[in-house]
Amino acid sequence: MKKDSCLICQIVEGKIPSFRVYEGHRAVAILDVNGANPGHCFVIPKIHYPILEQVPDDDIAEAFSIANKLSVALFDHLGAEGTNIFVANGIPAGQTVAHFMVNVIPRRQNDGINLQWQPKQITEEEVATIELKLKDELAGTGVSHASRKAAARKSAPSVWTGAPRPSPAAWDGDEDPAVTHLRRIP
Amino acid sequence: MAQQQPTPEQIKELQEKIAKMSPEELKEFQKKQCIFCHIVAGKVQSRRVYEDEHTLAVLDINPANPGHILLLTKEHYSIMPQLPLEVLEHVFLVAKKLSNALLRAVDARGSNIMVANGVAAGQKAQHFIVHIIPRREKDGVVFELPQRQQNEDSLQQIANELAKSLGAPAPKKSAALLPDIMERIKETEHKDHQERKRKHERVPAKGADAPEKPSPAAPSGNKGEEKEKPPKKQPGGDINLDDIARLFGAKK
């Protein structure tokens, strides 16, 4: 797909007007004008990639961190009772535009959105085969992102300290949002 | 996970207890109740397909499709906003990798990545989970997001509110082009289809040039990159991602 003919690229470039609620270095968040619920946004990498597997790691990291910020904003400022992060990757998955995007959907009880599924019955053998194949595919493929960052930040002995809270710099509220959200879930 | 339904009194009592807990106590309390923490700890059996320092991926026992993966954080978080940024980024990079592996392991043709934050969003367990669901045509799974018409004023209001809380400038937008966006999608698709058809007839073989790295300094000025999508390196795989991406032009 050429960039010129991609609708989303035109939104990124501003050729098509949109409600741009956040702009990062690599990704932007747009309010969906025909959203599933009021406040439904999508986060799109600025560079054109049709599907998730093609999107570089840095773009993915930023897109989902923006999605997370949006999720918090929807909770805190638009009275969402829940949020969905949803990616349709490929046409069989329901993707309609050939530009990777992360949907962030504010939810309320009984809002008429259905993202549920009927569990499929699968034989034990089939599951065991899938497990083996997946393990095979994934063997020795540690994600380097965190460790790469850790290496860059030599001062920090370990990225993962088991600390339950987000870094204070990320939040401005009075109470730690981790705590706020703990209380939010019934 | 079958649990007895507690009585209203018990719920109330519990709620009061929870309200009094310190954050540390609260977390510890949730962890003890959490089936997925037990899975992470190995106290509950599961089919583990991937594991690293922050995450564990297991096969869902109630899968939407064969190969449905649950990606868990090892640490207990109820919902996504609780994750430290680094873990959050890491989780979705793992999700990308898992989605990629599913293409080959179960011959998927696409995937859904889904997170439910809160009961209203369909969350069933109090542990942050990313669902990675392999998809194929007509697999019986239906995730449909309704498109709802919204009026311009309320959109503007919501946009302002969101931008403000994200520290971005208030978005301005002219209403002019809105109604014909769908028209343009159709036009675009049609044009692409024609183009692809021509291209396919002309060059059946794939280009052998190395993948170009997008320049982070100039994210929007990458004209050359889209001319011919370079084949992505596929360690040990025979499915070309471009084939999946290319389907967009081939539909209808």
Side-chain angles (χ1 to χ4, degrees), chain B residues 10 12 57 59 61 63 71 74 76 83 86 127 171-172 180 183 186 202 210 237 245 249:
Chain B
Q10 279 174 321
K12 194 156 176 269
L59 289 176
I61 53 167
L71 176 58
K74 287 192 167 171
H76 179 88
L83 269 68
E86 272 166 1
H127 193 113
K172 284 204 195 83
D180 58 44
E183 266 318 296
K186 278 181 205 144
R202 226 175 40 227

Side-chain angles (χ1 to χ4, degrees), chain B residues 184-235:
Chain B
R184 296 186 63 163
I185 290 180
K186 278 181 205 144
E187 265 172 41
T188 310
E189 277 172 357
H190 181 69
K191 228 168 66 193
D192 280 349
H193 181 53
Q194 301 296 333
E195 230 166 70
R196 189 126 313 111
K197 246 168 93 181
R198 275 203 305 274
K199 215 177 192 178
H200 260 294
E201 283 158 9
R202 226 175 40 227
V203 250
K206 289 193 177 68
D209 43 338
E212 292 170 52
K213 275 269 183 301
S215 150
S220 55
N222 242 318
K223 289 267 153 53
E225 184 190 310
E226 301 306 323
K227 275 185 191 145
E228 192 71 58
K229 204 83 190 159
K232 185 103 177 169
K233 60 175 162 40
Q234 282 296 308

Side-chain angles (χ1 to χ4, degrees), chain B residues 34-55:
Chain B
C34 176
I35 176 99
F36 288 102
C37 284
H38 292 325
I39 286 178
V40 169
K43 289 182 200 155
V44 171
Q45 251 198 343
S46 63
R47 292 189 183 270
R48 301 174 168 230
V49 294
Y50 175 86
E51 185 170 0
D52 63 30
E53 51 184 333
H54 301 316
T55 63

Side-chain angles (χ1 to χ4, degrees), chain A residues 3 6-20 22-30 42-49 99-101, chain B residues 219-221:
Chain A
K3 193 179 160 188
C6 171
L7 201 84
I8 303 296
C9 286
Q10 293 182 39
I11 289 178
V12 171
E13 286 168 10
K15 287 180 190 160
I16 294 178
S18 65
F19 291 109
R20 191 175 293 226
Y22 187 85
E23 173 136 17
H25 294 297
R26 297 164 175 276
V28 289
I30 309 284
F42 50 88
V43 185
I44 44 184
K46 290 181 181 175
I47 299 179
H48 180 91
Y49 298 100
H99 191 121
F100 171 77
M101 65 169 70
Chain B
S220 55

Side-chain angles (χ1 to χ4, degrees), chain A residues 143-164:
Chain A
V143 164
S144 57
H145 189 71
S147 34
R148 200 173 67 213
K149 276 194 165 175
R153 225 186 290 108
K154 273 176 192 147
S155 54
S158 156
V159 176
W160 182 240
T161 56

